[in-house]
Amino acid sequence: MFLKPVALSEYEIFAKYHFEKAHKQIAAGVVESIYDLFEGTTWYIQKVLNQLFATFDSISKDDVDRAVRQIILQNEEAYKDTLFQLTLRQRDLLVAIGREGKATQITGMAFVKRYHLSSASSVQKAAQILVDKQLVTQQQGVYEVYDKFLAEWIRTQLLCLQHEELPLSVEGVLKKVSF
């Protein structure tokens, strides 16, 4: 069953009411930036709004990035554990999908070569396991890391390594990042 996202205007009314009730200010455009960032997904919008509410009295758009970083840091150990529980091929594919954001044609040669994955058949098998473990979603041929905070953490870890020679596999990331 597919539920349409709640309208942005509803979130804006909700947030403004609760922030003002607590004598906190939320700048125009903050809710919209959260809504756009998480494509209207209620759980993520609520999580970020709750983090903003708990952390700041006057919220600007810049605070959204800070709140997301705080949420990611709070969950970092769980993200590391998740990666360690996967096989190398599953981790490599999860990282590749995370880097792409929305990955298509993951068994195609271009994708397999770009991310130094072993083969199309191993990608297909790993993808099915990641979907079964609910780490990745697949809709109409588009693969995406299910937890948007985990996906952002993966991208952040890789960006931290860009000043060095960027390893394309998680094995390389695991060696360089203090997991």
Side-chain angles (χ1 to χ4, degrees):
M1 174 189 223
F2 176 74
L3 297 175
K4 292 181 182 178
V6 174
L8 170 61
S9 60
E10 296 295 320
Y11 284 116
E12 290 173 326
I13 292 166
F14 173 85
K16 184 176 181 181
Y17 171 78
H18 287 285
F19 278 80
E20 286 179 354
K21 184 177 172 186
H23 306 290
K24 296 180 180 234
Q25 296 178 344
I26 186 164
V30 169
V31 176
E32 182 178 5
S33 68
I34 299 167
Y35 188 92
D36 291 345
L37 183 62
F38 295 106
E39 300 172 333
T41 306
T42 297
W43 189 87
Y44 294 99
I45 294 168
Q46 288 291 97
K47 184 76 173 168
V48 175
L49 285 172
N50 285 336
Q51 186 70 38
L52 289 168
F53 189 89
T55 309
F56 304 103
D57 289 326
S58 180
I59 294 95
S60 70
K61 283 185 183 182
D62 292 337
D63 296 323
V64 172
D65 288 336
R66 289 186 199 108
V68 169
R69 282 195 308 270
Q70 288 171 346
I71 292 165
I72 290 170
L73 284 174
Q74 291 165 2
N75 293 291
E76 188 169 37
E77 290 306 313
Y79 298 150
K80 291 175 187 178
D81 289 344
T82 297
L83 288 183
F84 279 117
Q85 292 173 14
L86 300 173
T87 67
L88 179 60
R89 288 180 178 163
Q90 293 163 7
R91 286 189 306 237
D92 284 348
L93 181 58
L94 183 66
V95 167
I97 292 169
R99 288 181 72 185
E100 290 280 313
K102 293 183 184 227
T104 59
Q105 300 178 348
I106 64 170
T107 58
M109 286 308 293
F111 187 86
V112 170
K113 284 184 178 184
R114 181 170 45 252
Y115 293 105
H116 302 275
L117 304 172
S118 57
S119 69
S121 63
S122 68
V123 167
Q124 187 173 13
K125 184 176 178 182
Q128 187 57 54
I129 292 168
L130 293 174
V131 168
D132 290 345
K133 290 183 178 202
Q134 298 182 346
L135 292 171
V136 168
T137 62
Q138 186 273 330
Q139 293 181 341
Q140 300 176 345
V142 178
Y143 290 82
E144 193 172 0
V145 175
Y146 180 78
D147 181 337
K148 293 179 185 300
F149 294 126
L150 171 58
E152 183 60 28
W153 179 77
I154 289 169
R155 285 188 291 274
T156 301
Q157 292 303 309
L158 293 170
L159 284 174
C160 289
L161 299 172
Q162 278 190 333
H163 68 281
E164 301 176 21
E165 188 174 313
L166 182 65
L168 294 175
S169 71
V170 171
E171 186 174 74
V173 172
L174 292 175
K175 287 179 183 175
K176 292 197 176 249
V177 177
S178 59
F179 288 128

